[in-house]
């Protein structure tokens, strides 16, 4: 069965890159531009993995992550934080918030895809 | 007389007023000093509460109607044997409440300008002697020094607070900028890699070459952004070492696997000489790796033939790590400059070899935060050795000087 990835990202270019990166793979993709849209999308269709940008309008990625991880039906969905907010300790904050992994921006699409494959072989 | 705060100052002036009154056999004494642009009586000795409540509300003007006003006006000692016979004296109510006859006012001067008045009064008509006036003058000088000290101290504190704020703003700005710069860079590097990987059709050999250069330039830009961010964090005191156990051998291997390909590209030898059975270190292994990558990266960048060698050993509870190259060498005059921000030995080299000139400044701060030292040994034509020592076990971060 096709595995579904939810991409939460407000930058059109970043969404395009992930779309192009996933095009040759078997993963399907749904997109959201902020935390609120992400929660709405999840309610409609449960994704198998979430790529979560952190700095987002309306509802940021950490808030969305906390909501998802607080829901017993959703908490097993792996969340990879993808953020350009690359300060010291950001990886720790991401983990503490409930993210399963952390990828700083700018990332290599090749490496990001390898990371996704770890969670969705 | 050293007083560091307004609170200290009041105590100092209070003591001074009392001593002056006692030494000069005055019944009462007070100090008039500036407050919000006007002069008011402040510290006092001997006067009734009623008098002080009254006098403290009256601004003393630099005019002839009062003895202290005259002292402010003329900037010199005013001595009135009996205020009741002084035709110009206008503080009738004050005189009635204070019940004084003889008054001595000595201005407290800063660079010739009165900043207050030391006032002594007697209930009987009994003029002060020259010796007493001289003594009061000395006390007045002491008072103005005390007031001036506090003013200067406040000024310095104010200035340093302003500087600190400015530096915080600068650091915040740099951090935001670095963050904002990463987002477009993500698009540049991301699309470049996807193109090179054929996501938009197989690129020609020539295009592949250009994409490689695009990627190299993008990564260089990322390096600059990271360096600027690191430096801004150091300056804002926000660079916190994450102390845990590390292994020097592992760090050297990480650096080798990261940079050996670059040395191979230039046909340079790459040696790692780590002494056997080094103790396990305690410090920020990630940051130390960053330092070593910087030193070895520089060595490779500036060396065109020969080899680059990492050496590590431990002695007396300290690690000694060095990076030796067979590059062009650096003149002694440039050694100190190397570790300052935005400095390289030779600007012409910068243009040719690139680099921010921030790497060594950052390395220096990281090593110093570990309580260590970093330096260079080099002569033109003799290659260079960059070396650092640091305690094997670092229990806590050393604050930057």
């Amino acid at each position: 069965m096709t595995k579904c990835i939810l991409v939460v990202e407000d930058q059109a270019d970043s969404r395009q890159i992930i779309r192009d990166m996933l095009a040759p793979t078997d993963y399907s993709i749904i997109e959201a531009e902020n935390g609120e849209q992400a929660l709405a999308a999840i309610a409609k269709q449960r994704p198998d993995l979430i790529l979560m940008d952190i700095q987002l309008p309306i509802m940021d990625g950490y808030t969305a992550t906390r909501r998802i991880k607080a829901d017993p039906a959703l908490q097993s969905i792996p969340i990879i934080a993808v953020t350009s907010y690359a300060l010291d300790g950001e990886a720790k904050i991401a983990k503490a918030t409930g993210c399963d992994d952390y990828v700083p921006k700018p990332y290599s699409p090749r490496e990001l895809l390898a990371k996704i494959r770890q969670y969705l072989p | 007389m050293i007083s560091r705060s307004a609170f200290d100052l009041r105590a100092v002036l209070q003591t001074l007023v009392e001593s002056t009154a006692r030494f000069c056999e005055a019944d009462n004494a007070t100090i008039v000093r500036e407050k919000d642009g006007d002069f008011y009586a402040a510290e006092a000795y001997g006067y009734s509460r009623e008098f002080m409540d009254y006098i403290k509300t009256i601004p003393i003007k630099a005019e002839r109607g009062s003895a202290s006003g005259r002292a402010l006006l003329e900037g010199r000692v005013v001595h009135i044997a009996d205020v009741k016979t002084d035709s110009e004296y206008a503080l009738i109510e004050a005189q009635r409440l204070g019940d004084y006859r003889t008054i001595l006012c000595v201005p407290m001067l800063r660079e010739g300008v009165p900043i207050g008045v030391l006032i002594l009064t007697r209930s009987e008509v009994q003029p002060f002697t020259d010796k007493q006036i001289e003594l009061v003058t000395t006390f007045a000088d002491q008072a103005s020094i005390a007031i001036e000290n506090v003013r200067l101290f406040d000024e310095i504190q104010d200035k340093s607070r302003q500087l600190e704020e400015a530096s915080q703003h600068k650091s915040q700005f740099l951090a935001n900028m670095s963050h904002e710069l990463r987002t477009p860079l993500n698009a540049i590097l991301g699309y470049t890699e996807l193109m090179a990987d054929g996501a938009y059709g197989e690129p020609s050999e020539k295009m592949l070459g250009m994409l490689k250069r695009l990627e190299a330039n993008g990564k260089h830009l990322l390096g600059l952004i990271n360096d600027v961010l690191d430096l801004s964090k150091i300056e804002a005191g926000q660079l916190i070492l994450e102390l845990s156990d590390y292994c020097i051998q592992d760090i050297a291997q990480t650096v080798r696997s990261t940079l050996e390909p670059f040395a191979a590209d230039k046909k340079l030898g790459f040696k790692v000489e780590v002494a056997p059975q080094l103790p396990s270190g305690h410090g920020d292994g990630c940051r130390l790796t960053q330092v070593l990558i910087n030193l070895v990266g520089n060595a490779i960048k500036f060396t065109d033939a020969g080899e680059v060698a990492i050496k590590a050993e431990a002695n007396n509870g300290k690690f000694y790590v060095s990076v030796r190259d067979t590059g062009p060498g650096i003149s002694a005059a440039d050694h100190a400059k190397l570790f300052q921000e935005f400095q390289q030995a030779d600007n012409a080299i910068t243009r040719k070899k690139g680099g921010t000139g921030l790497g060594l400044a950052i390395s220096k701060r990281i090593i110093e935060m570990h309580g260590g030292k970093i330096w260079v040994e080099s002569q033109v034509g003799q290659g260079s050795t960059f070396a650092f020592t640091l305690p094997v076990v670092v229990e806590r971060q050393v604050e930057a000087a």
Side-chain angles (χ1 to χ4, degrees), chain A residues 55-66:
Chain A
Q55 280 209 312
L56 295 167
I58 304 170
M59 183 195 287
D60 71 22
Y62 284 147
T63 308
T65 298
R66 270 187 224 104

Side-chain angles (χ1 to χ4, degrees), chain B residues 243-394:
Chain B
L243 303 174
S244 60
D245 291 343
Y246 66 86
C247 168
I248 279 275
Q249 176 85 44
D250 291 351
I251 289 179
Q253 283 312 323
T254 302
V255 174
R256 177 202 277 263
S257 59
T258 310
L259 295 178
E260 200 169 24
F262 294 94
D265 279 351
K266 295 181 78 175
K267 304 200 165 43
L268 300 174
F270 196 111
K271 269 196 204 152
V272 176
E273 303 158 8
V274 177
Q277 290 168 348
L278 284 183
S280 164
H282 192 78
D284 191 330
C286 274
R287 289 292 177 184
L288 292 175
T289 307
Q290 181 185 353
V291 171
L292 202 55
I293 281 183
N294 176 250
L295 297 183
V296 175
N298 283 345
I300 294 171
K301 190 158 67 181
F302 291 105
T303 304
D304 291 326
E307 62 169 25
V308 169
I310 302 173
K311 193 170 158 184
E313 52 197 26
N315 247 322
N316 300 324
K318 282 183 173 177
F319 283 129
Y320 167 89
V321 181
S322 70
V323 177
R324 197 182 69 239
D325 68 48
T326 53
I330 304 153
S331 73
D334 288 328
H335 286 186
K337 223 162 69 175
L338 288 174
F339 294 95
Q340 293 166 13
E341 288 89 356
F342 297 110
Q343 293 283 352
Q344 283 177 337
D346 181 345
N347 278 327
I349 289 180
T350 309
R351 284 195 294 277
K352 217 166 75 192
K353 304 276 184 180
T356 52
L358 291 176
L360 284 176
I362 294 167
S363 295
K364 179 170 185 276
R365 307 291 271 271
I366 291 172
I367 294 300
E368 286 172 355
M369 284 176 161
H370 280 85
K373 250 177 38 187
I374 188 168
W375 69 94
V376 59
E377 293 158 13
S378 181
Q379 283 175 39
V380 175
Q382 304 285 307
S384 305
T385 300
F386 284 81
F388 60 87
T389 61
L390 78 166
V392 169
V393 175
V394 176

Side-chain angles (χ1 to χ4, degrees), chain B residues 20-29 47 77-82 100-106 118-136:
Chain B
T20 315
R22 289 219 182 89
F23 281 123
C24 301
E25 291 161 356
D27 297 310
N28 328 88
Y47 291 108
V77 175
V78 173
H79 188 194
I80 302 174
D82 186 358
Y100 51 82
R101 300 292 290 270
T102 298
I103 186 164
L104 174 68
C105 293
V106 178
L118 180 53
I119 304 169
L120 273 70
T121 55
R122 284 173 174 163
S123 316
E124 308 291 327
V125 175
Q126 192 194 336
F128 291 87
T129 65
D130 286 350
K131 228 184 165 114
Q132 284 170 334
I133 294 173
E134 200 179 305
L135 191 58
V136 180

Side-chain angles (χ1 to χ4, degrees), chain A residues 11-14 16-17 20-21 55 84-89 92 105-111, chain B residues 175 179 182-183 185-187 189-191 193-194 197 199-200 222 229 233 238-240 242 287:
Chain A
Q11 300 282 331
D13 274 319
S14 299
Q16 181 73 49
I17 285 168
D20 296 344
M21 169 188 93
Q55 280 209 312
S84 60
Y85 211 66
L87 290 170
D88 276 356
K92 259 190 194 166
K105 268 188 200 168
Y107 50 79
S108 145
R110 221 177 285 138
E111 285 166 21
Chain B
H179 172 230
R182 274 170 208 276
T183 303
L185 206 49
N186 191 54
L189 286 170
Y191 284 130
E193 191 186 298
L194 286 169
D197 284 357
Y200 309 107
L222 176 61
L229 184 58
K233 275 189 292 189
Q238 286 163 356
L239 192 119
I240 310 294
E242 294 196 16
R287 289 292 177 184

Side-chain angles (χ1 to χ4, degrees), chain B residues 30-33 39 60 67-69 71-72 104-108 114-119 140:
Chain B
T30 183
I31 281 179
V32 163
R33 49 187 180 110
F39 287 92
I60 310 287
S68 50
L72 285 174
L104 174 68
C105 293
V106 178
M108 297 161 8
I115 57 168
V117 184
L118 180 53
I119 304 169

Side-chain angles (χ1 to χ4, degrees), chain B residues 192-193 195-198 202-215:
Chain B
T192 305
E193 191 186 298
M195 273 194 263
D197 284 357
E202 275 315 305
S204 69
E205 205 49 37
K206 194 168 182 182
M207 269 172 76
L208 214 49
M210 293 307 139
L211 289 170
K212 239 187 169 163
R213 282 162 73 166
L214 194 51
E215 186 187 6

